[in-house]
Amino acid sequence: MITITIDGQKFQAKKGETILQVARRNGIYIPTMCYLTKTNPIASCRMCSVEVEGIEGFILSCQEKAIDGAVITTNSPKLFTHRQNIMKLYDVNHPLQCGVCDKSGECELQNKTLEFGVSSQEFSAKEQKRKSKKWKILGYDPYLCILCERCVTVCNEIVGAQALYVKPNGYNSTIDNDMRKCIQCGECISVCPVGAMVSNEFKYSANAWENIKVPASCSHCSSGCFLYYNVRHKSIDEPEKIITRVTNEQEFASLCGAGRFGFDFANKSAKKDEKAFKNAIEAFKKADTIKFSGIITNEEALILQKLKEKFGYKLISHGNKEYQKFLEEFSSDSGHKLYSGDLKSISSSNLILSIGCKLSTDNPMVRFHVSEAVRRKGAKVIDMHPIEDFALKDIVSNSIRYEVGSEEGVLAILAKGLLEDSKLDGELKEYLDELDEGYISAETNVGEEEIESIVNLAKTTTKKTLILGEDLYTHKRAKNIALLAGLIERYSDFDVVIIPPQTNSLGVSLICDLDDKEGDYSIGYNVKGDFVLSALGDGDLDMPALNQQEGTFVSIDKRVVPTNAALKYNGYTLNDIANELGVKATYTIDYTKKLPKSKGFKEVEFDELPNYFDNAGNEHRGYLLDNKTRRTKLRIPDEIEEIESFDGVVVYRCEPVHQFNEFTALCKPIEEKQYLQGSSQFAVAAKIKGGSEIELNLDGTIIKRKFKSNKNFKGTIGEISLFDSILHNDKLLSHYRYFRVQISSNEAKQ
């Protein structure tokens, strides 16, 4: 620790912190235009200049490290004039179109022009002719651009796409986009301090001050990212509220394209249909099973659990049951109730090892934090998966392709290599010593030298994270894989992250006593059932979508995060049904403080949950679950089973980057077409051609798709997306993501 003086006040600081970081943490304002807390300093605006006693000239506080004993001044007449002149340069020829600019009212250029009293302009520059650009959902106006480079920095450093870049041409320099790399996440829009980067969907639709910002959590994946639903009336004649856009705390946090543009999924036509409600109550009295997805709040999950306890229902949640069992087996050998890692541990790692997940699409925030580790920490990323992820070619250091179905063998030889220097004895040491590395290596197609390379990297890096994906917990040998992963967490210095498959899978796995087999008559909540409760508007009784509810989720970070209702809901809720059946609470959020303390939840009222970031970028959202120590006897994994051969035509269930399920499929800005994709090799093996209309059987579910040959794909495994029907075909969520299939095409039939 060191001591510095800022504006006459003494502060403690950590060695290595910048002056700006220390000032912000202690509530001292230093103006910036290009700086973002979540990225490395850009240092293009020079607004953050300060004076340091004994040093001639100004110092950039964003990149200058604090030195013990330094005396710093953040505001003086000289600094004010310096910053005023910077603003005059920014304002040269900047178009005076605030009346129609989307950024007006929240524009940093507008605010700082007023802050530094720029009321006149003593000089000008000849304006250059520059073309506005439209990059699908993104729009760019070079006349409004101040070349702060925020957009380029987040695209490269946070997203890892490296799509945006500065096209140098002196005063005529602009930002350009390599659309082959752009993933349309909108991070560039969120960080733009002016109106240069905009959403073409939102453009000219509302003024910033017309929107009411509703703080919430994204409901599309397990990251549970913080966001604001921006809500306003539809028009003067139509007072109905609509969501116009989504924004976030862009200074500290990020959003993927699904979170930013996939907001239009509310169940708007719902109303209180008394007949349908009575039919629902009768169905519940008749049913012996409730089926549901992980797209549900903790409070609703607790209602279902209480209904089970009262009436004996079987609770079926495909995919989430597999995750629950995997986590239970993992924790029995790891020694903790939950896994140790989180998104921050990923972004601060020097070595990241990913097994069994499509890193670029399964969870976008995992991808973002992996990219951040590469750009900021120089991390080595090893992606172990049967299919090469071409979207991550600029991020991944080494791709290791193992055979489909061989995940158990891969984890076994990895565990043996990583634990070889651990002081193990007894049965565990004997078990690892007896593993036949040569045989397993040959069967998995993972070379012994590749494992040795990983082990050597692990020995020379200080911070390491192991990311485990859905391929592992839907595997038929998931139990043994979980035990092996638990040993790695317990005896190595790897942090482990087990990606939950759906929005609130982690919460559901902790709250609900899930069953394996359903009974004779089922209620389906946003999934198929004999009687369906649906937020999609296609069931027997309407339910609210997650942007029409208050409640909480458990995120991938093991954090209980609150979400609020952006839009009004006019129909019945699950709590209404529970009240009618004798499980009573006035509001659904009355269950927030009743979430099970034995599973790490806290007895906190919903309205007492914080939901903000402080000035230093620290997250104050809900609370972290208590990751309790488990005192269980160490369980030795079973012998590695002979690896099942996946011959013939094999396809992999994998969604596009911004699509997850039927809710995202409703959102037009991120609309995607459904395909079966594969390489030319796959097309030859499957005897199909590009553009062919094909039909394939996925474990009894018939799927029709058009085949698209993709030159970026390699090997003989195809990829199929199911986001428009995955909840309706929910059994596929519990199936191993690789399918042996028979494909028939129209050409073959003819």
Side-chain angles (χ1 to χ4, degrees):
M1 300 297 293
I2 59 174
T3 302
I4 64 172
T5 302
I6 305 179
D7 294 342
Q9 299 180 70
K10 288 186 181 291
F11 298 109
Q12 292 287 302
K14 293 178 182 177
K15 191 175 181 181
E17 282 188 298
T18 64
I19 295 170
L20 182 59
Q21 286 173 325
V22 180
R24 284 193 169 188
R25 193 178 67 249
N26 290 285
I28 294 175
Y29 171 67
I30 298 175
T32 63
M33 282 296 286
C34 70
Y35 183 77
L36 289 170
T37 301
K38 66 185 180 184
T39 68
N40 283 319
I42 301 167
S44 69
C45 74
R46 315 193 81 77
M47 286 288 289
C48 71
S49 295
V50 295
E51 294 175 301
V52 179
E53 192 174 283
I55 297 177
E56 190 176 342
F58 298 136
I59 297 295
L60 295 184
S61 65
C62 70
Q63 64 180 19
E64 191 67 34
K65 302 290 190 297
I67 298 173
D68 193 35
V71 178
I72 298 152
T73 300
T74 68
N75 202 359
S76 68
K78 287 169 72 175
L79 281 169
F80 185 88
T81 301
H82 172 72
R83 290 165 181 162
Q84 187 181 59
N85 287 333
I86 290 172
M87 292 313 303
K88 287 180 179 180
L89 286 170
Y90 273 137
D91 287 335
V92 169
N93 292 351
H94 193 87
L96 299 175
Q97 59 186 56
C98 298
V100 295
C101 180
D102 284 333
K103 203 71 176 182
S104 184
E106 55 186 13
C107 173
E108 294 180 44
L109 186 74
Q110 193 179 66
N111 292 343
K112 286 186 174 62
T113 296
L114 292 171
E115 180 182 346
F116 293 103
V118 182
S119 57
S120 62
Q121 189 67 278
E122 290 82 15
F123 52 89
S124 64
K126 184 179 179 181
E127 188 54 281
Q128 305 294 311
K129 187 175 182 180
R130 289 172 277 201
K131 289 184 179 180
S132 294
K133 301 288 183 68
K134 189 172 182 180
W135 302 313
K136 294 184 180 178
I137 200 169
L138 313 176
Y140 173 63
D141 186 342
Y143 286 107
L144 295 175
C145 181
I146 61 172
L147 283 177
C148 66
E149 298 183 46
R150 281 185 179 183
C151 57
V152 175
T153 303
V154 294
C155 185
N156 293 337
E157 194 173 303
I158 303 296
V159 181
Q162 295 185 298
L164 294 177
Y165 59 96
V166 177
K167 194 173 182 180
N169 191 13
Y171 183 65
N172 201 25
S173 298
T174 58
I175 304 297
D176 212 343
N177 192 340
D178 183 346
M179 286 299 291
R180 297 170 300 174
K181 297 179 178 180
C182 181
I183 64 169
Q184 300 283 290
C185 64
E187 271 288 281
C188 52
I189 294 172
S190 73
V191 300
C192 182
V194 291
M197 290 281 186
V198 295
S199 160
N200 290 320
E201 291 286 322
F202 175 73
K203 195 173 183 180
Y204 304 143
S205 66
N207 292 306
W209 56 84
E210 291 179 284
N211 289 310
I212 298 169
K213 290 187 174 182
V214 179
S217 297
C218 182
S219 62
H220 294 321
C221 83
S222 57
S223 290
C225 298
F226 179 84
L227 54 77
Y228 292 108
Y229 290 115
N230 287 221
V231 179
R232 59 160 280 187
H233 57 278
K234 195 169 185 179
S235 68
I236 293 174
D237 299 322
E238 299 177 86
E240 173 194 353
K241 293 286 194 295
I242 60 169
I243 300 172
T244 60
R245 64 174 176 174
V246 160
T247 54
N248 68 319
E249 294 287 0
Q250 77 282 349
E251 176 81 25
F252 315 116
S254 299
L255 271 180
C256 74
R260 193 175 310 283
F261 304 120
F263 53 79
D264 193 17
F265 57 89
N267 192 359
K268 299 169 189 172
S269 60
K271 58 184 180 181
K272 291 205 169 182
D273 184 333
E274 291 185 15
K275 184 179 178 182
F277 183 72
K278 287 179 182 178
N279 290 340
I281 299 302
E282 291 304 312
F284 269 88
K285 290 177 178 177
K286 178 182 177 182
D288 56 10
T289 302
I290 302 174
K291 299 167 62 180
F292 63 103
S293 73
I295 307 169
I296 189 173
T297 64
N298 289 320
E299 292 72 17
E300 291 177 299
L302 185 55
I303 289 172
L304 295 180
Q305 178 62 23
K306 288 187 175 295
L307 289 173
K308 175 188 176 93
E309 291 166 2
K310 186 177 179 68
F311 298 107
Y313 294 120
K314 294 176 182 294
L315 293 185
I316 302 295
S317 191
H318 292 298
N320 297 303
K321 175 63 176 177
E322 284 66 34
Y323 185 78
Q324 182 184 62
K325 289 192 289 188
F326 191 91
L327 195 58
E328 181 67 24
E329 298 293 340
F330 170 84
S331 67
S332 69
D333 266 8
S334 71
H336 290 90
K337 184 68 183 174
L338 302 169
Y339 49 84
S340 59
D342 54 25
L343 293 175
K344 282 188 177 178
S345 69
I346 294 173
S347 61
S348 61
S349 291
N350 311 115
L351 173 62
I352 299 168
L353 182 57
S354 168
I355 305 176
C357 72
K358 189 69 180 294
L359 204 53
S360 63
T361 59
D362 282 0
N363 186 302
M365 281 304 112
V366 170
R367 173 204 173 128
F368 281 22
H369 282 75
V370 169
S371 170
E372 192 176 339
V374 172
R375 305 301 177 213
R376 299 181 73 172
K377 297 289 184 179
K380 300 293 184 184
V381 179
I382 301 171
D383 179 37
M384 303 183 78
H385 198 272
I387 305 170
E388 185 170 357
D389 197 339
F390 65 89
L392 296 180
K393 63 182 181 180
D394 295 329
I395 296 174
V396 170
S397 313
N398 187 15
S399 295
I400 297 177
R401 310 274 71 85
Y402 58 76
E403 292 293 327
V404 174
S406 68
E407 286 86 351
E408 181 189 21
V410 173
L411 259 290
I413 56 176
L414 183 65
K416 180 170 183 175
L418 294 176
L419 305 184
E420 64 181 358
D421 290 340
S422 302
K423 294 179 180 179
L424 305 177
D425 54 22
E427 284 186 81
L428 180 55
K429 185 177 187 305
E430 186 179 334
Y431 171 81
L432 292 173
D433 286 344
E434 289 180 356
L435 286 174
D436 188 342
E437 293 168 275
Y439 171 76
I440 296 174
S441 176
E443 290 295 298
T444 61
N445 200 33
V446 177
E448 292 180 65
E449 69 283 355
E450 290 178 305
I451 296 295
E452 186 179 349
S453 173
I454 294 171
V455 172
N456 289 334
L457 270 175
K459 288 176 180 177
T460 56
T461 47
T462 54
K463 180 72 173 168
K464 303 174 270 285
T465 301
L466 172 63
I467 301 171
L468 306 179
E470 193 176 344
D471 300 3
L472 303 184
Y473 45 82
T474 55
H475 194 284
K476 69 173 186 175
R477 297 284 291 174
K479 177 180 176 180
N480 222 42
I481 294 171
L483 292 175
L484 290 162
L487 293 175
I488 293 173
E489 168 146 312
R490 185 168 187 157
Y491 292 109
S492 79
D493 51 359
F494 272 83
D495 286 323
V496 175
V497 175
I498 307 173
I499 301 176
Q502 293 179 309
T503 310
N504 196 26
S505 294
L506 184 50
V508 167
S509 70
L510 295 172
I511 295 165
C512 295
D513 179 14
L514 299 176
D515 296 284
D516 289 305
K517 294 183 180 179
E518 62 186 87
D520 298 322
Y521 188 87
S522 65
I523 304 290
Y525 189 4
N526 289 329
V527 300
K528 282 197 301 187
D530 297 299
F531 188 94
V532 177
L533 312 174
S534 177
L536 292 160
D538 60 355
D540 299 299
L541 179 69
D542 281 318
M543 288 281 113
L546 286 178
N547 58 4
Q548 296 172 295
Q549 293 190 60
E550 289 182 313
T552 59
F553 311 132
V554 180
S555 73
I556 190 174
D557 286 341
K558 301 153 291 183
R559 183 179 288 276
V560 179
V561 295
T563 192
N564 288 290
L567 298 177
K568 187 177 179 181
Y569 173 70
N570 297 314
Y572 291 101
T573 66
L574 187 62
N575 189 48
D576 293 327
I577 294 172
N579 278 321
E580 192 71 19
L581 294 171
V583 176
K584 293 187 177 292
T586 306
Y587 302 107
T588 302
I589 55 171
D590 290 342
Y591 288 100
T592 305
K593 65 178 180 182
K594 298 177 182 178
L595 296 169
K597 288 191 284 185
S598 62
K599 300 299 178 70
F601 292 93
K602 297 180 181 179
E603 195 174 340
V604 183
E605 295 274 4
F606 177 81
D607 290 334
E608 293 176 3
L609 294 172
N611 199 17
Y612 68 96
F613 291 83
D614 66 24
N615 200 41
N618 299 309
E619 186 176 12
H620 300 272
R621 298 178 61 214
Y623 58 85
L624 289 170
L625 287 173
D626 182 7
N627 192 5
K628 298 182 178 181
T629 300
R630 295 193 68 190
R631 289 182 171 84
T632 56
K633 184 180 178 182
L634 187 68
R635 296 170 59 191
I636 307 301
D638 295 334
E639 287 186 24
I640 306 305
E641 194 174 80
E642 187 175 337
I643 295 166
E644 183 181 355
S645 175
F646 271 74
D647 297 323
V649 180
V650 177
V651 299
Y652 180 63
R653 173 173 61 82
C654 177
E655 309 307 337
V657 66
H658 298 321
Q659 290 291 344
F660 296 94
N661 50 57
E662 288 89 328
F663 289 102
T664 52
L666 291 173
C667 305
K668 288 187 178 179
I670 55 172
E671 200 170 37
E672 291 268 5
K673 292 183 179 179
Q674 299 273 56
Y675 293 105
L676 168 66
Q677 295 191 78
S679 66
S680 56
Q681 285 176 281
F682 173 80
V684 171
K687 299 178 181 177
I688 52 178
K689 296 179 181 178
S692 298
E693 297 286 343
I694 60 96
E695 184 177 283
L696 64 165
N697 187 321
L698 300 184
D699 197 33
T701 301
I702 303 300
I703 302 292
K704 294 182 179 180
R705 288 285 182 271
K706 181 177 280 189
F707 174 66
K708 183 179 180 181
S709 183
N710 192 322
K711 65 180 181 181
N712 290 313
F713 280 46
K714 297 177 182 178
T716 57
I717 302 171
E719 290 188 6
I720 188 164
S721 59
L722 302 172
F723 62 83
D724 68 343
S725 59
I726 190 63
L727 297 178
H728 292 91
N729 297 301
D730 60 301
K731 281 189 177 180
L732 296 178
L733 292 168
S734 60
H735 193 285
Y736 184 50
R737 290 171 73 180
Y738 296 89
F739 296 81
R740 293 189 194 87
V741 294
Q742 292 290 327
I743 296 179
S744 58
S745 66
N746 289 343
E747 289 90 338
K749 289 177 182 177
Q750 292 167 3

PDB file of all heavy atoms in Angstrom, residues 18 22 25 73 124 151 322 326 478 506 738:
ATOM      1  N   THR A  18      -3.739   3.318 -10.969  1.00  0.00           N
ATOM      2  CA  THR A  18      -3.529   4.616 -11.611  1.00  0.00           C
ATOM      3  C   THR A  18      -4.121   5.724 -10.732  1.00  0.00           C
ATOM      4  O   THR A  18      -4.952   5.471  -9.856  1.00  0.00           O
ATOM      5  CB  THR A  18      -4.191   4.672 -12.998  1.00  0.00           C
ATOM      6  OG1 THR A  18      -5.611   4.555 -12.848  1.00  0.00           O
ATOM      7  CG2 THR A  18      -3.672   3.559 -13.901  1.00  0.00           C
ATOM      8  N   VAL A  22      -7.640   5.621  -8.269  1.00  0.00           N
ATOM      9  CA  VAL A  22      -7.669   6.017  -6.853  1.00  0.00           C
ATOM     10  C   VAL A  22      -8.671   7.153  -6.644  1.00  0.00           C
ATOM     11  O   VAL A  22      -9.457   7.149  -5.694  1.00  0.00           O
ATOM     12  CB  VAL A  22      -6.265   6.442  -6.368  1.00  0.00           C
ATOM     13  CG1 VAL A  22      -6.306   6.856  -4.898  1.00  0.00           C
ATOM     14  CG2 VAL A  22      -5.265   5.311  -6.572  1.00  0.00           C
ATOM     15  N   ARG A  25     -12.327   5.867  -6.967  1.00  0.00           N
ATOM     16  CA  ARG A  25     -12.725   5.033  -5.841  1.00  0.00           C
ATOM     17  C   ARG A  25     -13.061   5.877  -4.616  1.00  0.00           C
ATOM     18  O   ARG A  25     -13.873   5.485  -3.774  1.00  0.00           O
ATOM     19  CB  ARG A  25     -11.616   4.031  -5.507  1.00  0.00           C
ATOM     20  CG  ARG A  25     -12.064   2.933  -4.561  1.00  0.00           C
ATOM     21  CD  ARG A  25     -10.988   1.922  -4.257  1.00  0.00           C
ATOM     22  NE  ARG A  25      -9.889   2.476  -3.491  1.00  0.00           N
ATOM     23  CZ  ARG A  25      -8.669   2.661  -3.953  1.00  0.00           C
ATOM     24  NH1 ARG A  25      -8.370   2.333  -5.194  1.00  0.00           N
ATOM     25  NH2 ARG A  25      -7.715   3.178  -3.192  1.00  0.00           N
ATOM     26  N   THR A  73      -3.135  17.489  -8.010  1.00  0.00           N
ATOM     27  CA  THR A  73      -4.225  18.462  -8.141  1.00  0.00           C
ATOM     28  C   THR A  73      -5.059  18.077  -9.359  1.00  0.00           C
ATOM     29  O   THR A  73      -4.523  17.916 -10.456  1.00  0.00           O
ATOM     30  CB  THR A  73      -3.674  19.896  -8.315  1.00  0.00           C
ATOM     31  OG1 THR A  73      -2.889  20.230  -7.166  1.00  0.00           O
ATOM     32  CG2 THR A  73      -4.804  20.898  -8.471  1.00  0.00           C
ATOM     33  N   SER A 124     -11.798  27.253 -36.885  1.00  0.00           N
ATOM     34  CA  SER A 124     -12.569  26.236 -37.607  1.00  0.00           C
ATOM     35  C   SER A 124     -11.625  25.429 -38.488  1.00  0.00           C
ATOM     36  O   SER A 124     -10.458  25.774 -38.650  1.00  0.00           O
ATOM     37  CB  SER A 124     -13.660  26.892 -38.456  1.00  0.00           C
ATOM     38  OG  SER A 124     -13.065  27.701 -39.458  1.00  0.00           O
ATOM     39  N   CYS A 151     -15.023   2.475 -29.246  1.00  0.00           N
ATOM     40  CA  CYS A 151     -15.676   1.373 -29.963  1.00  0.00           C
ATOM     41  C   CYS A 151     -14.650   0.348 -30.435  1.00  0.00           C
ATOM     42  O   CYS A 151     -14.860  -0.867 -30.321  1.00  0.00           O
ATOM     43  CB  CYS A 151     -16.496   1.901 -31.135  1.00  0.00           C
ATOM     44  SG  CYS A 151     -15.536   2.881 -32.314  1.00  0.00           S
ATOM     45  N   GLU A 322     -29.869 -32.793 -15.495  1.00  0.00           N
ATOM     46  CA  GLU A 322     -28.521 -33.271 -15.805  1.00  0.00           C
ATOM     47  C   GLU A 322     -27.478 -32.341 -15.175  1.00  0.00           C
ATOM     48  O   GLU A 322     -26.467 -32.798 -14.627  1.00  0.00           O
ATOM     49  CB  GLU A 322     -28.315 -33.340 -17.323  1.00  0.00           C
ATOM     50  CG  GLU A 322     -28.991 -34.515 -18.003  1.00  0.00           C
ATOM     51  CD  GLU A 322     -30.502 -34.461 -17.950  1.00  0.00           C
ATOM     52  OE1 GLU A 322     -31.067 -33.349 -18.008  1.00  0.00           O
ATOM     53  OE2 GLU A 322     -31.141 -35.522 -17.835  1.00  0.00           O
ATOM     54  N   PHE A 326     -24.823 -33.345 -12.212  1.00  0.00           N
ATOM     55  CA  PHE A 326     -23.397 -33.119 -12.462  1.00  0.00           C
ATOM     56  C   PHE A 326     -22.789 -32.285 -11.332  1.00  0.00           C
ATOM     57  O   PHE A 326     -21.717 -32.596 -10.815  1.00  0.00           O
ATOM     58  CB  PHE A 326     -23.216 -32.406 -13.807  1.00  0.00           C
ATOM     59  CG  PHE A 326     -21.796 -32.342 -14.294  1.00  0.00           C
ATOM     60  CD1 PHE A 326     -21.284 -33.330 -15.102  1.00  0.00           C
ATOM     61  CD2 PHE A 326     -20.971 -31.285 -13.937  1.00  0.00           C
ATOM     62  CE1 PHE A 326     -19.968 -33.276 -15.563  1.00  0.00           C
ATOM     63  CE2 PHE A 326     -19.657 -31.210 -14.381  1.00  0.00           C
ATOM     64  CZ  PHE A 326     -19.157 -32.216 -15.197  1.00  0.00           C
ATOM     65  N   ALA A 478     -21.627 -38.757 -17.485  1.00  0.00           N
ATOM     66  CA  ALA A 478     -21.513 -37.461 -16.813  1.00  0.00           C
ATOM     67  C   ALA A 478     -21.108 -37.604 -15.355  1.00  0.00           C
ATOM     68  O   ALA A 478     -20.342 -36.791 -14.830  1.00  0.00           O
ATOM     69  CB  ALA A 478     -22.832 -36.706 -16.922  1.00  0.00           C
ATOM     70  N   LEU A 506     -28.836 -22.766 -12.554  1.00  0.00           N
ATOM     71  CA  LEU A 506     -28.165 -22.917 -11.266  1.00  0.00           C
ATOM     72  C   LEU A 506     -29.154 -22.726 -10.121  1.00  0.00           C
ATOM     73  O   LEU A 506     -29.157 -23.485  -9.149  1.00  0.00           O
ATOM     74  CB  LEU A 506     -27.003 -21.925 -11.158  1.00  0.00           C
ATOM     75  CG  LEU A 506     -26.122 -22.014  -9.908  1.00  0.00           C
ATOM     76  CD1 LEU A 506     -25.661 -23.446  -9.642  1.00  0.00           C
ATOM     77  CD2 LEU A 506     -24.924 -21.085 -10.027  1.00  0.00           C
ATOM     78  N   TYR A 738     -24.465 -34.382 -29.457  1.00  0.00           N
ATOM     79  CA  TYR A 738     -24.144 -35.019 -30.735  1.00  0.00           C
ATOM     80  C   TYR A 738     -25.194 -36.089 -31.031  1.00  0.00           C
ATOM     81  O   TYR A 738     -25.574 -36.870 -30.159  1.00  0.00           O
ATOM     82  CB  TYR A 738     -22.760 -35.656 -30.690  1.00  0.00           C
ATOM     83  CG  TYR A 738     -21.657 -34.653 -30.495  1.00  0.00           C
ATOM     84  CD1 TYR A 738     -21.247 -34.290 -29.216  1.00  0.00           C
ATOM     85  CD2 TYR A 738     -21.033 -34.053 -31.587  1.00  0.00           C
ATOM     86  CE1 TYR A 738     -20.240 -33.355 -29.030  1.00  0.00           C
ATOM     87  CE2 TYR A 738     -20.031 -33.123 -31.407  1.00  0.00           C
ATOM     88  CZ  TYR A 738     -19.633 -32.772 -30.125  1.00  0.00           C
ATOM     89  OH  TYR A 738     -18.640 -31.840 -29.946  1.00  0.00           O
TER      90      TYR A 738
END
